Amino acid sequence: SQQGEEDPQALSIQEGENATMNCSYKTSINNLQWYRQNSGRGLVHLILIRSNEREKHSGRLRVTLDTSKKSSSLLITASRAADTASYFCATGLTGANSKLTFGKGITLSVRP
Amino acid sequence: SAVISQKPSRDICQRGTSLTIQCQVDSQVTMMFWYRQQPGQSLTLIATANQGSEATYESGFVIDKFPISRPNLTFSTLTVSNMSPEDSSIYLCSVGQAGGGYGYTFGSGTRLTVV
């Protein structure tokens, strides 16, 4: 069963705008990760945030985690056409080498 | 981070036949994961493969349909057996990172179409 639920399911923005994607989950987690998938290819890991962290940055990415609300958000600033992809949140229930449970995914379209 | 070579990248198969997908990792890893992604859907874990022991299958997936081999710490195969059109999906292998701090690496996927 799916652990995460992202919203919105589809997002279309203009290049240069910020994109915010949200993810909710149901159980206690060890970490939450965001991945990008281009055109049905392999997934690329973007960022991982642990359950004891509240915010993390990586380049144009900012992820927040609210364990009390069981939710996370991924912000992509100054979006580019190359950011067009599907984005998935995934939760790890334990530490290293635990299996991941993926949300349904968000399709982001960035218009040039 | 690890690099995974997954083969084949795509295939079109006749129903009733089997396809074996291979994943080669450039470093030794304890556990490998196999996922299925049905058209337009998210990823669903099929099984977790440990070297030297039988794979652990998720609910809804059985060994007779998806046999997995894990002969060493750098290689695994997933076979999709007795295929039907409903097996048309992308299949992906994945490995975690030591310490769990850097996310997981995925193979480039195998796009399977069953006709």
Side-chain angles (χ1 to χ4, degrees):
Chain A
S1 62
Q2 298 298 329
Q3 163 78 312
E5 294 280 343
E6 292 98 333
D7 74 86
Q9 291 195 342
L11 180 62
S12 181
I13 59 174
Q14 200 73 33
E15 202 166 29
E17 295 179 339
N18 296 339
T20 299
M21 291 167 270
N22 302 303
C23 168
S24 60
Y25 56 92
K26 299 175 182 176
T27 65
S28 297
I29 61 172
N30 174 275
N31 63 81
L32 186 143
Q33 307 178 31
W34 286 90
Y35 289 84
R36 182 185 72 223
Q37 184 180 41
N38 290 89
S39 299
R41 303 185 65 176
L43 274 71
V44 173
H45 174 253
L46 296 176
I47 196 165
L48 178 152
I49 187 166
R50 299 186 188 281
S51 60
N52 61 353
E53 298 176 312
R54 292 296 167 259
E55 186 171 316
K56 209 164 182 181
H57 298 255
S58 177
R60 294 185 296 115
L61 305 179
R62 172 179 171 258
V63 64
T64 62
L65 179 65
D66 187 334
T67 53
S68 66
K69 295 182 180 179
K70 292 187 169 58
S71 67
S72 173
S73 67
L74 174 68
L75 168 67
I76 303 174
T77 60
S79 64
R80 306 166 181 168
D83 295 327
T84 295
S86 294
Y87 291 80
F88 296 89
C89 69
T91 52
L93 300 187
T94 60
N97 287 319
S98 69
K99 60 184 181 182
L100 297 180
T101 303
F102 283 82
K104 294 182 178 179
I106 301 167
T107 300
L108 173 65
S109 298
V110 181
R111 303 186 301 275
Chain B
S1 60
V3 176
I4 301 176
S5 174
Q6 183 172 345
K7 297 178 182 179
S9 59
R10 59 177 62 229
D11 207 340
I12 301 173
C13 300
Q14 297 290 323
R15 66 176 67 202
T17 64
S18 298
L19 175 72
T20 296
I21 302 166
Q22 300 180 4
C23 278
Q24 178 76 52
V25 189
D26 69 345
S27 58
Q28 294 185 340
V29 293
T30 305
M31 299 169 75
M32 293 182 72
F33 305 92
W34 287 96
Y35 290 87
R36 180 178 73 182
Q37 185 178 26
Q38 295 177 301
Q41 303 296 314
S42 185
L43 281 76
T44 301
L45 182 65
I46 298 172
T48 302
N50 288 324
Q51 192 268 337
S53 62
E54 278 199 6
T56 302
Y57 289 82
E58 298 297 304
S59 175
F61 298 95
V62 295
I63 187 171
D64 289 346
K65 176 67 175 177
F66 298 101
I68 288 171
S69 78
R70 185 80 202 277
N72 56 54
L73 290 173
T74 64
F75 187 77
S76 180
T77 67
L78 170 75
T79 299
V80 186
S81 303
N82 188 25
M83 289 183 286
S84 66
E86 291 72 34
D87 294 320
S88 297
S89 297
I90 298 173
Y91 293 85
L92 302 109
C93 61
S94 175
V95 300
Q97 307 298 333
Y102 301 103
Y104 288 50
T105 300
F106 283 79
S108 55
T110 297
R111 184 181 293 272
L112 170 63
T113 301
V114 183
V115 298

